[in-house]
Amino acid sequence: MIVLGGITPVLCTYRSELRFSSPSESPMSTSSCSSCTLSSSASVTLSGIIRCPSARKALVSLVFFVSSSVAYTRLLRNISTKKGKQKEEDSMPHFQIVFVLGGPGSGKGTQCETITTNFPTWTHLSAGDLLRAERQKSDSKLAEIINARILNGQIVPSEITVQLIKNAMEENYKEKRCTKFVIDGFPRSEENRTAWEDILGSSSTVEFVLYLDCPEEVMTERLLRRGQTSGRVDDNLEIMKKRFETSRKESMPMVELYESYGKLRTVKADRNVEEVYQEVSALFKDL
Ligand code: ADP
Ligand code: AMP
């Protein structure tokens, strides 16, 4: 015979239902249940519970009570986590965003810097710069992954990039109350774009995507020249070829996607810096 040790003490709280002859009695005593012929010790064993209608009823009530309590506790925990998240989102403003795309060396960084000098309500964030800064941190667990991808001309996992952009946006908001960001080198892939949608999509509006259109031969020349002073490990011919390939395969589909949304603004970038800037700045005047 199996004795239900775990639930026996709880069953005792249903004494009125079990109707033992005396309320002070131990359920293990030999007195009998008044609704059937079983002794109370029998009614707290499995076969006793099955045979005794009152004990069966008590067990059903107990199971119902325990499962309701567990469900309720889970519900409360869920609500409080959601409330915490909601509070955090409420305290952040809605951001205005301009993404800047273009192959490596097309002049993204150069144009963004001039934009933020002349339109100081906008802050420039470069996905590449944020990744390089993270890589430099001595305590960064991500440094190895970032380094390997950059050296291969490949895209760094999107969660890392988007999280770094999000942190930078939040810091700028806390320090300067800045809500307008020009983000260069993003989104460089479909994975980039969906990670942005998941993490920042609801708290931001993408005003437009600026695409700096530049032939690879021109970009190659510029990068080789930049490589003489930049100290960047990826400004060399071998890695450059891989970066161009990644750009063609992964970033160009993003250019096409935003064009289909009517969000793309294309500027020919194989002209001198001032000429390119004339067209770029006109886009910001309307915002
Ligand atoms: P990206 O951020 O797209 O990689 P950068 O803005 O760093 O490109 O520009 C790459 C290099 O080309 C830099 O050395 C920069 O000074 C130079 N550069 C940028 N725009 C032009 C331009 N319109 N004409 C000539 N050189 C340029
Ligand atoms: P850039 O400074 O824009 O030339 O970028 C340098 C390198 O950083 C790229 O070759 C990628 O390895 C990485 N990187 C830059 N932007 C992104 C991005 N949006 N997503 C993932 N990796 C990126």
Side-chain angles (χ1 to χ4, degrees):
M1 209 185 287
I2 304 163
V3 178
L4 296 174
I7 64 162
T8 303
V10 192
L11 274 176
C12 292
T13 60
Y14 286 87
R15 215 168 238 161
S16 60
E17 286 221 43
L18 288 169
R19 275 177 272 144
F20 293 123
S21 42
S22 154
S24 59
E25 273 173 3
S26 152
M28 297 311 286
S29 75
T30 53
S31 60
S32 62
C33 170
S34 61
S35 67
C36 64
T37 53
L38 291 170
S39 69
S40 62
S41 60
S43 49
V44 292
T45 63
L46 181 60
S47 62
I49 287 167
I50 291 165
R51 278 180 290 143
C52 171
S54 299
R56 248 192 342 252
K57 210 169 143 193
L59 182 63
V60 169
S61 308
L62 175 71
V63 169
F64 179 73
F65 172 75
V66 172
S67 53
S68 309
S69 307
V70 170
Y72 185 61
T73 314
R74 278 199 189 141
L75 183 74
L76 279 184
R77 206 183 304 146
N78 242 339
I79 290 171
S80 62
T81 324
K82 273 189 188 153
K83 260 189 185 166
K85 255 193 170 171
Q86 188 66 45
K87 239 183 176 177
E88 199 184 302
E89 278 172 12
D90 287 347
S91 64
M92 278 294 143
H94 198 79
F95 296 109
Q96 256 179 292
I97 306 294
V98 170
F99 290 139
V100 184
L101 290 177
S106 57
K108 300 183 294 296
T110 306
Q111 294 297 325
C112 289
E113 282 305 307
T114 321
I115 282 293
T116 49
T117 305
N118 296 332
F119 297 86
T121 55
W122 288 84
T123 295
H124 170 211
L125 298 177
S126 151
D129 284 350
L130 291 170
L131 288 165
R132 280 184 288 274
E134 180 65 28
R135 187 181 61 171
Q136 293 302 108
K137 290 183 189 164
S138 54
D139 59 339
S140 175
K141 295 184 183 85
L142 306 172
E144 221 172 293
I145 302 174
I146 297 173
N147 230 352
R149 297 292 177 109
I150 288 181
L151 283 173
N152 256 319
Q154 288 170 328
I155 280 168
V156 174
S158 297
E159 289 69 27
I160 299 177
T161 314
V162 176
Q163 199 53 53
L164 290 175
I165 294 175
K166 183 173 186 261
N167 293 349
M169 285 165 61
E170 289 176 354
E171 271 166 33
N172 272 281
Y173 175 69
K174 279 180 201 147
E175 281 169 22
K176 304 187 282 181
R177 288 284 174 259
C178 178
T179 58
K180 298 175 179 190
F181 295 93
V182 200
I183 305 180
D184 117 45
F186 192 91
R188 268 186 149 109
S189 64
E190 174 59 17
E191 197 207 359
N192 261 195
R193 197 188 64 81
T194 50
W196 173 275
E197 281 307 318
D198 290 346
I199 298 172
L200 283 155
S202 61
S203 56
S204 62
T205 300
V206 179
E207 298 292 344
F208 61 83
V209 177
L210 169 63
Y211 171 52
L212 296 179
D213 185 11
C214 197
E216 281 186 16
E217 311 82 72
V218 177
M219 296 192 280
T220 306
E221 267 173 41
R222 289 181 187 173
L223 290 181
L224 287 175
R225 211 175 314 127
R226 185 176 76 182
Q228 291 167 5
T229 52
S230 67
R232 276 179 57 167
V233 283
D234 55 348
D235 277 349
N236 68 63
L237 259 182
E238 194 195 336
I239 302 179
M240 242 182 256
K241 278 184 194 154
K242 292 180 184 169
R243 292 163 72 194
F244 287 140
E245 195 184 333
T246 304
S247 173
R248 258 181 266 128
K249 281 192 184 153
E250 303 202 41
S251 310
M252 280 315 285
M254 296 303 99
V255 169
E256 284 152 20
L257 185 74
Y258 283 106
E259 186 162 37
S260 74
Y261 293 162
K263 287 237 172 203
L264 196 75
R265 307 288 179 270
T266 303
V267 173
K268 283 267 164 219
D270 51 344
R271 296 176 287 168
N272 68 47
V273 175
E274 291 72 27
E275 276 177 312
V276 177
Y277 183 72
Q278 284 304 313
E279 268 189 53
V280 169
S281 60
L283 298 168
F284 283 81
K285 283 179 186 141
D286 300 334
L287 288 179

